[in-house]
Amino acid sequence: MIDRIRNLAARASGDIIELFEKAPDRAREFSIHFDGLLFDYSKTRITHEVLEALLEWCETCEVAAKRDAMFAGQAINKTEGRAVLHTALRNLSAEPILVDGRDVMPGVLKTLARMEGFAEDLRAGVVQGQGGRVTDVVNIGIGGSHLGPEMATLALAPYHDGPRCHFVSNVDGADIHDCLQGLDPATTLVIVASKSFTTTETMANAATARAWMAEGVDDPGKQFVALSTADDKVADFGISPERIFGFEDWVGGRYSMWGPIGLAIMIAIGPVRFREMLEGAAAMDRHFREAPLPENMPVLLALAGLWHHQGCGYPTRAVLPYDQRLGRLPAYFQQLEMESNGKRVSMAGEPLDLPSGPVVWGEPGTNGQHAFYQLIHQGTQVVPCEFMVAAQGHEPDLAHHHTLLVANCLAQSEALMRGRSMDEARGLMAEKGFSGKELERQAAHRAFPGNRPSTTLVYDKLTPRRLGQIVALYEHRVFVEGVMLGINSFDQWGVELGKALAKEIEPVLESGETSGKDGSTAQLVEFIRTHRG
């Protein structure tokens, strides 16, 4: 099947703009509306023939059956023998979901209720610090325990009416040092997010935060909350049982902001709006489960990605939100995609015969336009772009800013498609008085190849519900891509080796004993020991 897709990509001729000229209704035919969202993939070289082949590939891989298995609680994470049920965390209908014959929903909803009670009491001043009302919350985690809450809290800034939220992840001491500067231990709550309560970076930062807290309060443990299942280790840290919020092993880190890992989000925006975010994600879940594949937004987003990377051979994908508050979304999707689908073997453990996930990167517009769009427009590599933008902003008195923002977003996708021909560039340079060889030279610098693909996701306004929909859309996109590539999107063994070696190197940095290490590592250790002071 992949050979057919590649043959279609190789045979694709003409410019994207010509597809619009041949089919005036192309924009409608290659887009999909769902509940306040519009996904437009018409500015790609996907044709009806290509789409038919992609959908056939999708059906051959039994995407629908495997999707249903995920939602039913089957152990689709086969390398770890686990179900994949982050969707259960937003199943507010309480529809039963069985894992090994046990309905997990009563536990999910009980934990959600406990989170809501704690968050509301904290926001209302019923739960206080040892110096009075809590003014600041510091979330300590890494990976999904950090990126999800940080991304969503920033995205939903217009809805903040709780304590200020801060986020620490890096084991670099500068991260926690700079975060704690200016905060009052007596009015600061620290959330430690680690399922095992052993994550090296998180626990190093937690210990530093506890030492800092001990300088300002009598009982540091009372200023902490744990998002963990390791009750004994949490107790040893000094955190009481009512301050522990646990979650099951069928919730992966990069899919976890919908449950206890999202406590900081809930504290910032309140339980009602947090539920709105869950409802948005649940709406996308229902759409993904119920919509026919040709009308299914996550499926079509996935097929566009597979067409560009596995079919056309474009190695990277740019995520370009035209929304300053979605500044962390590219990094969030980078982890979601690259940790999930950055694999080299199939479910059966055999080497893959096609590329796995692409490199995902990006920045918010319009900042990116003055950084890397030069390469996107005129570079030698084609970079498929995924634009997203809201029809309206949150600042009505600055509506003219938003109009300029949207205009830039739409203009960039059009410019990527249209480009500028040499004839057009010659005309511009002739008007400036150039002629002969110099005209040709100057025109060459100003010509754009065009024919560069992009998709655009438009939504009415960035609300909690819309954010929930967008994140769930991309989660399901990653799932579909993983199924069609024949890989397990829900483990991450690639992060383990470096962590293990770091534990070996840590004592080497103290002792200087590098026997058994390669020459490069030994040299680096020697230099660092010599210059640490």
Side-chain angles (χ1 to χ4, degrees), residues 18-202:
E18 292 177 358
L19 298 177
F20 285 90
E21 293 169 355
K22 293 175 182 177
D25 212 21
R26 175 174 173 80
R28 183 189 62 80
E29 293 174 353
F30 292 90
S31 63
I32 181 170
H33 293 258
F34 171 69
D35 192 22
L37 305 179
L38 166 62
F39 173 58
D40 182 334
Y41 60 105
S42 62
K43 290 193 185 79
T44 69
R45 297 215 296 187
I46 294 176
T47 62
H48 288 294
E49 183 183 14
V50 170
L51 185 57
E52 179 183 341
L54 290 168
L55 287 166
E56 184 178 338
W57 182 17
C58 192
E59 291 176 355
T60 300
C61 295
E62 301 180 321
V63 166
K66 292 173 182 176
R67 169 201 63 197
D68 294 344
M70 177 180 70
F71 279 98
Q74 296 180 27
I76 66 168
N77 179 352
K78 295 189 181 297
T79 61
E80 298 177 294
R82 295 175 180 172
V84 175
L85 277 177
H86 49 280
T87 54
L89 300 178
R90 58 233 194 184
N91 176 26
L92 300 180
S93 70
E95 174 187 347
I97 299 176
L98 303 181
V99 175
D100 297 327
R102 178 178 66 90
D103 183 7
V104 303
M105 286 312 304
V108 168
L109 295 177
K110 181 180 178 181
T111 299
L112 177 61
R114 286 188 59 229
M115 289 172 59
E116 291 175 331
F118 178 79
E120 202 53 77
D121 285 348
L122 184 74
R123 287 159 51 85
V126 176
V127 171
Q128 296 194 351
Q130 291 165 72
R133 195 182 188 105
V134 170
T135 58
D136 296 271
V137 173
V138 176
N139 186 94
I140 298 176
I142 199 164
S145 300
H146 164 77
L147 265 176
E150 183 188 45
M151 177 278 295
T153 301
L154 173 61
L156 300 177
Y159 301 92
H160 289 196
D161 53 7
R164 295 182 295 268
C165 289
H166 315 267
F167 297 89
V168 172
S169 60
N170 201 330
V171 75
D172 185 340
D175 197 6
I176 191 158
H177 173 273
D178 292 353
C179 175
L180 297 180
Q181 288 294 299
L183 301 186
D184 180 355
T187 59
T188 298
L189 178 80
V190 178
I191 300 173
V192 183
S194 172
K195 185 183 294 186
S196 65
F197 226 65
T198 60
T199 310
T200 302
E201 300 94 335
T202 300

Side-chain angles (χ1 to χ4, degrees), residues 457-470:
L457 181 69
V458 188
Y459 42 95
D460 48 6
K461 191 175 185 178
L462 186 60
T463 63
R465 180 180 180 88
R466 294 291 173 258
L467 181 67
Q469 288 174 317
I470 292 168

Side-chain angles (χ1 to χ4, degrees), residues 206-236:
T208 297
R210 196 180 191 284
W212 170 79
M213 193 73 74
E215 297 177 0
V217 299
D218 295 331
D219 187 349
K222 289 184 178 180
Q223 304 284 131
F224 280 78
V225 168
L227 312 179
S228 175
T229 56
D231 292 3
D232 53 343
K233 293 183 176 64
V234 174
D236 291 343

Side-chain angles (χ1 to χ4, degrees), residues 273-395:
R273 289 184 174 126
F274 188 85
R275 277 189 175 248
E276 290 173 2
M277 185 180 76
L278 298 185
E279 289 165 357
M284 185 58 70
D285 293 344
R286 289 191 296 273
H287 170 73
F288 181 47
R289 296 178 71 177
E290 298 169 2
L293 298 186
E295 303 167 19
N296 194 303
M297 191 176 288
V299 170
L300 294 173
L301 179 60
L303 295 183
L306 291 163
W307 166 249
H308 288 141
H309 186 50
Q310 282 72 25
C312 301
Y314 305 143
T316 78
R317 172 189 301 159
V319 176
L320 307 171
Y322 274 67
D323 192 318
Q324 183 63 24
R325 293 189 177 105
L326 290 178
R328 294 295 284 158
L329 193 67
Y332 182 81
F333 287 161
Q334 182 180 72
Q335 184 203 22
L336 182 65
E337 176 89 32
M338 296 175 68
E339 194 167 75
S340 296
N341 290 346
K343 309 295 170 60
R344 60 180 297 276
V345 298
S346 68
M347 279 284 201
E350 300 294 331
L352 292 177
D353 58 1
L354 73 172
S356 57
V359 174
V360 177
W361 56 284
E363 282 287 328
T366 57
N367 290 7
Q369 293 177 196
H370 297 268
F372 52 79
Y373 277 43
Q374 169 63 42
L375 182 147
I376 290 175
H377 281 288
Q378 289 186 307
T380 56
Q381 296 186 58
V382 174
V383 180
C385 295
E386 297 184 353
F387 295 97
M388 55 183 69
V389 68
Q392 59 177 300
H394 283 277
E395 296 76 29

